[in-house]
Amino acid sequence: MELKKSPDGGWGWVIVFVSFFTQFLCYGSPLAVGVLYIEWLDAFGEGKGKTAWVGSLASGVGLLASLGCGLLYTATVTITCQYFDDRRGLALGLISTGSSVGLFIYAALQRMLVEFYGLDGCLLIVGALALNILACGSLMRPLQSSDCPLPKKIAPEDLPDKYCIYNEKGKNLEENINILDKSYSSEEKCRSILANGDWKQESLLLKNPTVTHTKEPETYKKKVAEQTYFCKQLAKRKWQLYKNYCGETVALFKNKVFSALFIAILLFDIGGFPPSLLMEDVARSSNVKEEEFIMPLISIIGIMTAVGKLLLGILADFKWINTLYLYVATLIIMGLALCAIPFAKSYVTLALLSAILGFFTGNWSIFPYVTTKTVGIEKLAHAYGILMFFAGLGNSLGPPIVGWFYDWTQTYDIAFYFSGFCVLLGGFILLLAALPSWNTCNKQLPKPAPTTFLYKVASNV
């Protein structure tokens, strides 16, 4: 079913507004978890690697809250891409700044709440604020088909033969009723034998064809047969849908740009997420005095991430800019900035590196754009869900790995060299995979048939 043409406005701006606040409320606190990380270190007295699991799971995978955040993020991005085409980069930039503004505000808010209400009270209030996401979700209306009505439920007997996973077709209702008759007859025989307690008469009852049995009403047997037939066909259909999903997933990974994008996002989140969690502790480990803190480093990251998302999203709308190369450039520059953190020994240098990291972390606004150009708008939800799962996995693994490096060496130097290497490696892998295919696909590709799986990189944008 083809969607309506993207309106590039109208109710789409309402979608942008509510998606902005959804990401603000959903990701503001998890991204500003670095403020709580220091509190957890003091409260639990554990090592940095073990304590980092708390913050990483809050922003990654494994907890109920992070599962909800992942679903919300995919929903806001997908519905925004449906409503915008020509101004998709601007729309994605606007909604993605919600998490960055949330990071800036929640960094100061959580610090204040901890001072007034303690760690437990702070978490309760943040959870209560997140309930406002329900109001935002009620305003999201996905686009429907312009020509076709909503699909109707198909009766089991009308299912096409392609949903049958076996060569032989399923039994019809009459055959099912006959099977039920035999089962009822056998059941009555067993009941009679058990009731009389005469096991010696079992052979006689089985051989005697004149024994009468009380049969169930025909309507009841027909109803049971219909339900049995329905469940059987439904199970076959679900199994076929599952096989189709697996086939589509395999087809996605046959696209080398998508496969490289998958590796790049995993490595990016392993290496790029720790600064937002650990930067405050990095400053404390570098003996930076609290009097020198003009602004929390996490707040600087939040502000510059918002700026980066907005500007990079606007750049993505220019036809003469290749968004894939733009995304690769952000990865390479960010990797170099991570490798430079061990050389920063003052608040000014740490603040400068935080600003650079924050700005290029804004590449999240063009990541859906790149994904759409790689797999197409029809497969965006499927492909983006896969990528976000592994992005969450990277978020979960990155901070504990960096924390373990510190526990092992008592310094963050090797940890951030490792982080920078991961991001640089992902950027160069994506660049090598994209160079031949992205440049040779200047011609408009023919639209594939609905039953085929063809995933090619679109034209330069």
Side-chain angles (χ1 to χ4, degrees):
M1 183 177 69
E2 296 184 358
L3 299 175
K4 293 180 180 178
K5 185 181 183 302
S6 301
D8 278 301
W11 191 259
W13 294 118
V14 178
I15 298 296
V16 170
F17 179 78
V18 297
S19 297
F20 172 89
F21 277 101
T22 297
Q23 295 202 18
F24 173 89
L25 295 169
C26 179
Y27 282 96
S29 177
L31 292 177
V33 75
V35 174
L36 304 178
Y37 175 71
I38 298 178
E39 300 294 330
W40 287 326
L41 285 173
D42 296 336
F44 300 116
E46 298 288 347
K48 297 181 186 296
K50 190 174 183 180
T51 307
W53 275 110
V54 181
S56 64
L57 289 176
S59 299
V61 296
L63 295 179
L64 184 61
S66 56
L67 174 62
C69 288
L71 295 174
L72 288 170
Y73 184 81
T74 303
T76 55
V77 168
T78 302
I79 195 172
T80 302
C81 288
Q82 290 180 1
Y83 271 86
F84 289 88
D85 188 10
D86 296 334
R87 289 181 281 188
R88 183 176 294 162
L90 174 62
L92 290 173
L94 289 173
I95 70 167
S96 60
T97 55
S99 58
S100 305
V101 175
L103 167 59
F104 173 71
I105 294 179
Y106 271 91
L109 176 63
Q110 290 181 156
R111 181 171 295 178
M112 182 183 67
L113 291 176
V114 168
E115 293 178 358
F116 283 97
Y117 304 104
L119 184 60
D120 294 340
C122 171
L123 296 175
L124 286 173
I125 294 174
V126 169
L129 291 174
L131 292 175
N132 292 282
I133 297 174
L134 296 173
C136 297
S138 64
L139 296 175
M140 294 185 181
R141 303 175 185 172
L143 287 177
Q144 299 295 344
S145 172
S146 57
D147 301 323
C148 304
L150 292 176
K152 298 181 179 179
K153 292 185 178 179
I154 303 176
E157 58 271 13
D158 296 332
L159 287 175
D161 293 340
K162 66 179 181 179
Y163 288 119
C164 296
I165 60 177
Y166 306 105
N167 293 330
E168 58 178 1
K169 294 185 178 181
K171 295 180 174 59
N172 55 28
L173 292 179
E174 290 74 13
E175 292 174 338
N176 284 329
I177 292 176
N178 293 333
I179 293 174
L180 284 176
D181 287 339
K182 294 180 181 179
S183 63
Y184 286 137
S185 177
S186 300
E187 183 179 355
E188 290 296 330
K189 291 177 182 179
C190 293
R191 287 177 180 175
S192 177
I193 294 172
L194 292 175
N196 297 330
D198 190 0
W199 299 98
K200 295 181 179 180
Q201 295 179 357
E202 177 180 357
S203 59
L204 294 176
L205 288 172
L206 293 175
K207 293 180 181 179
N208 188 2
T210 61
V211 178
T212 59
H213 303 284
T214 305
K215 296 183 178 181
E216 298 291 337
E218 293 295 329
T219 56
Y220 175 76
K221 289 189 295 182
K222 185 176 180 180
K223 183 177 180 181
V224 174
E226 289 177 350
Q227 292 177 350
T228 303
Y229 181 74
F230 173 79
C231 293
K232 183 178 180 180
Q233 294 300 321
L234 182 62
K236 290 182 178 180
R237 183 183 182 187
K238 293 298 182 182
W239 174 249
Q240 185 64 35
L241 292 175
Y242 173 76
K243 289 177 61 179
N244 291 342
Y245 178 84
C246 294
E248 292 175 1
T249 303
V250 172
L252 283 174
F253 279 99
K254 288 182 180 179
N255 182 346
K256 60 181 178 180
V257 177
F258 177 81
S259 298
L261 200 61
F262 150 75
I263 297 174
I265 193 63
L266 176 63
L267 294 175
F268 169 72
D269 280 277
I270 289 177
F273 178 67
S276 63
L277 176 63
L278 304 173
M279 192 59 78
E280 296 290 333
D281 192 56
V282 170
R284 188 168 69 172
S285 301
S286 301
N287 297 320
V288 177
K289 298 180 180 179
E290 293 186 2
E291 299 82 38
E292 300 179 18
F293 277 71
I294 302 174
M295 182 182 295
L297 296 176
I298 293 182
S299 296
I300 295 176
I301 293 176
I303 294 174
M304 294 307 298
T305 302
V307 174
K309 287 178 177 179
L310 186 59
L311 293 182
L312 292 173
I314 293 175
L315 288 176
D317 282 333
F318 289 102
K319 300 299 181 183
W320 50 271
I321 292 182
N322 188 309
T323 51
L324 181 60
Y325 291 156
L326 178 62
Y327 183 76
V328 170
T330 62
L331 294 180
I332 294 175
I333 297 174
M334 187 173 178
L336 295 175
L338 285 168
C339 293
I341 289 180
F343 300 98
K345 301 300 180 182
S346 65
Y347 173 79
V348 175
T349 53
L350 286 173
L352 179 61
L353 289 174
S354 297
I356 295 174
L357 291 172
F359 181 84
F360 289 104
T361 302
N363 61 8
W364 278 108
S365 65
I366 62 174
F367 184 72
Y369 205 111
V370 174
T371 307
T372 304
K373 291 298 180 181
T374 303
V375 302
I377 188 65
E378 295 83 5
K379 301 297 178 182
L380 175 61
H382 185 182
Y384 207 71
I386 295 174
L387 295 174
M388 286 302 98
F389 172 79
F390 287 97
L393 182 62
N395 278 346
S396 299
L397 296 177
I401 292 175
V402 171
W404 286 330
F405 273 119
Y406 182 90
D407 293 337
W408 178 39
T409 63
Q410 294 301 308
T411 178
Y412 279 113
D413 293 356
I414 297 179
F416 279 99
Y417 289 145
F418 170 79
S419 296
F421 172 78
C422 287
V423 178
L424 285 172
L425 179 62
F428 283 117
I429 289 175
L430 182 57
L431 179 62
L432 292 176
L435 275 175
S437 57
W438 193 276
N439 289 332
T440 56
C441 291
N442 292 323
K443 297 181 180 180
Q444 184 68 28
L445 294 175
K447 188 174 181 180
T451 56
T452 61
F453 303 105
L454 179 63
Y455 301 94
K456 297 289 185 182
V457 180
S459 60
N460 286 339
V461 288

